[in-house]
Amino acid sequence: MENKAKIDPKRFEIIRAYQKGEKIPGITAKFSHISKATIYRWINEFKKGRVCRKTRKPTEEKKAFYKTAMNLYRQGLSIPEIQREIKLVSSTTIRRWIMSS
């Protein structure tokens, strides 16, 4: 659930090219600075439904956890106290939510 890796812009371009119907040999020629094995792996991961973090949309459950965490934080609870209340969310995630709000 907590994949912190950011998507490489080149990976995004390659997946986008594949989605637009470009053939894999054409993609590997266009992105010759990236190994063919890497391009094939990225496309295979995409085919299997593994989408990158930036394209995932938060689930309703996660939205509810976020709202609850922010309400508890505004009430003065500390991050460990919030994490004990919402057991399915890590303290790191709660901290990131607070810092981004």
Side-chain angles (χ1 to χ4, degrees), residues 4-53:
K4 299 221 183 338
K6 301 290 183 189
I7 184 168
D8 179 4
K10 293 295 179 192
R11 182 176 182 163
F12 185 74
E13 289 178 44
I14 289 167
I15 298 300
R16 181 68 54 117
Y18 179 76
Q19 285 178 313
K20 289 181 179 178
E22 288 186 42
K23 302 292 181 195
I24 295 176
I27 294 171
T28 57
K30 185 177 176 181
F31 296 94
S32 60
H33 58 285
I34 299 173
S35 75
K36 288 180 183 181
T38 299
I39 292 173
Y40 276 95
R41 182 172 39 86
W42 288 349
I43 290 172
N44 284 331
E45 286 175 0
F46 172 75
K47 286 179 184 178
K48 291 177 183 175
R50 295 182 192 146
V51 291
C52 58
R53 185 168 171 74

Side-chain angles (χ1 to χ4, degrees), residues 40-101:
Y40 276 95
R41 182 172 39 86
W42 288 349
I43 290 172
N44 284 331
E45 286 175 0
F46 172 75
K47 286 179 184 178
K48 291 177 183 175
R50 295 182 192 146
V51 291
C52 58
R53 185 168 171 74
K54 286 189 175 181
T55 61
R56 274 190 219 148
K57 294 182 180 177
T59 62
E60 292 302 316
E61 183 182 41
K62 191 166 186 171
K63 288 178 185 178
F65 287 151
Y66 172 80
K67 287 179 184 178
T68 303
M70 296 311 293
N71 287 336
L72 293 171
Y73 181 73
R74 287 184 194 108
Q75 292 174 13
L77 272 68
S78 68
I79 292 173
E81 291 170 328
I82 296 169
Q83 200 273 326
R84 281 192 290 275
E85 287 288 323
I86 310 172
K87 293 175 178 49
L88 297 176
V89 179
S90 71
S91 58
T92 305
T93 300
I94 295 168
R95 186 174 291 108
R96 185 170 28 87
W97 286 345
I98 291 168
M99 298 303 267
S100 68
S101 66

